[in-house]
Amino acid sequence: MERTRAWGAITALFTLAACGGQATESPTPPPGVSVSLNQWRSDEAAHELEVSVRNDGDTPVRFLDVQLVTGSFATLPPTRVDSTLGRTPRTDLRIPYGEARCDPATIPPVRPATVVATVQAGEGPARRAEFPVRHPDPLLAGLVKAECGAYLLRRAADVTFGDTWTRAGRTLRGVLLVTRRQGAEPVTIDELGATTHYTVRPLSGRSRPVAVLEPGTPRLKIPVEVTPARCDWHAFAEAKKAYLFPVYGTVGTGERRYLIATPPAPVQQTFLSYAKDVCGVGG
């Protein structure tokens, strides 16, 4: 009986070691390894960011998966990366991040964040490690402000693209629709922003404000015209932010914020066909 118990204990310890020893290992990062957070412009549309790893040690460290954990954003499952990093001042590991956790009345302060990863230092076992992120992190603070600002603006009114767009000379014309969602305060559309590839302007020529959704008005149409901001076709083919149009507005006497209005896929194709024709390019 005693031999059976001893063998069972040995088997349990072996099983823990084979699984990376996560039940007994400390989550302390490997010596000399630290992380920071960054974001390229191309990451914004995909809701991704870069976990930038610095390894000042001589021991290669293998990152099997990576995860961002913070109270400011919904926690997503770990992202498989399987990347072995030797000594490096910075190597970026791209991961998605969840939706911001916003307050219905105000923009919340950014919460502390940790990067959690399964790592293997040298020939050692794979284990869970927790990398602290400096607080307050400027990237996360900016993302919270942008996403929760858009959330507050969109709670009052949403801005969408109309379905019908027609050529008028070298421009494309249609409407933006401002639709009240809740509340009775005026919603002021202050400015229409351009994207990397298109410029959108109100046909009225008005700016700051472009238009006002008055109290008691459920919907407002803003006639607009679209023109290409650039005509290099390769850039159009590779564009990730071509259809993320910023719209700046205020609710009542509140703070100026912005949301991102994205045309539906058929309207995006209309924009692309128009740009192809007006720029005189093909393929």
Side-chain angles (χ1 to χ4, degrees):
M1 179 67 70
E2 293 300 325
R3 179 177 297 179
T4 301
R5 290 177 179 173
W7 178 250
I10 293 172
T11 302
L13 289 172
F14 179 81
T15 301
L16 284 174
C19 292
Q22 293 184 12
T24 58
E25 290 282 358
S26 167
T28 303
V33 182
S34 59
V35 304
S36 59
L37 302 179
N38 292 281
Q39 188 178 59
W40 298 104
R41 287 177 61 87
S42 58
D43 295 331
E44 296 177 25
H47 217 249
E48 295 176 334
L49 54 75
E50 309 291 336
V51 175
S52 301
V53 180
R54 180 183 181 95
N55 185 1
D56 291 325
D58 295 323
T59 302
V61 177
R62 180 185 181 190
F63 280 75
L64 297 173
D65 57 44
V66 181
Q67 178 187 39
L68 177 68
V69 178
T70 171
S72 290
F73 294 89
T75 301
L76 300 182
T79 299
R80 181 79 175 178
V81 293
D82 201 355
S83 181
T84 300
L85 309 180
R87 180 182 288 270
T88 176
R90 172 177 165 176
T91 299
D92 290 340
L93 305 176
R94 180 180 290 110
I95 65 169
Y97 59 97
E99 292 185 1
R101 293 188 170 114
C102 299
D103 187 275
T106 186
I107 295 178
V110 66
R111 304 283 295 279
T114 303
V115 170
V116 179
T118 302
V119 299
Q120 181 180 14
E123 299 299 320
R127 65 180 181 85
R128 178 176 178 269
E130 297 178 0
F131 297 83
V133 176
R134 63 171 174 167
H135 180 72
D137 181 77
L139 172 62
L140 295 182
L143 294 176
V144 168
K145 182 177 181 180
E147 293 193 24
C148 291
Y151 168 80
L152 292 174
L153 183 55
R154 195 169 262 123
R155 275 175 61 87
D158 202 4
V159 180
T160 56
F161 283 76
D163 295 327
T164 303
W165 294 81
T166 57
R167 282 286 297 272
R170 293 182 62 81
T171 68
L172 192 66
R173 293 185 176 181
V175 298
L176 292 182
L177 305 174
V178 184
T179 305
R180 186 178 298 279
R181 299 184 68 180
Q182 67 175 31
E185 294 183 285
V187 178
T188 302
I189 303 301
D190 294 310
E191 188 177 353
L192 306 179
T195 73
T196 54
H197 290 73
Y198 297 97
T199 299
V200 57
R201 298 185 180 91
L203 285 179
S204 67
R206 295 179 59 190
S207 180
R208 300 187 182 184
V210 172
V212 179
L213 183 67
E214 300 289 354
T217 303
R219 201 178 208 197
L220 172 68
K221 292 184 179 181
I222 304 176
V224 296
E225 65 178 12
V226 170
T227 55
R230 57 193 299 179
C231 275
D232 46 319
W233 195 243
H234 175 74
F236 269 99
E238 298 297 326
K240 294 181 175 65
K241 299 182 66 177
Y243 304 103
L244 303 182
F245 290 86
V247 178
Y248 298 83
T250 56
V251 180
T253 58
E255 183 180 342
R256 186 173 187 254
R257 311 188 192 282
Y258 76 92
L259 56 78
I260 298 297
T262 303
V267 176
Q268 291 185 25
Q269 186 57 50
T270 298
F271 282 18
L272 188 61
S273 298
Y274 152 73
K276 176 180 176 181
D277 181 57
V278 77
C279 289
V281 294

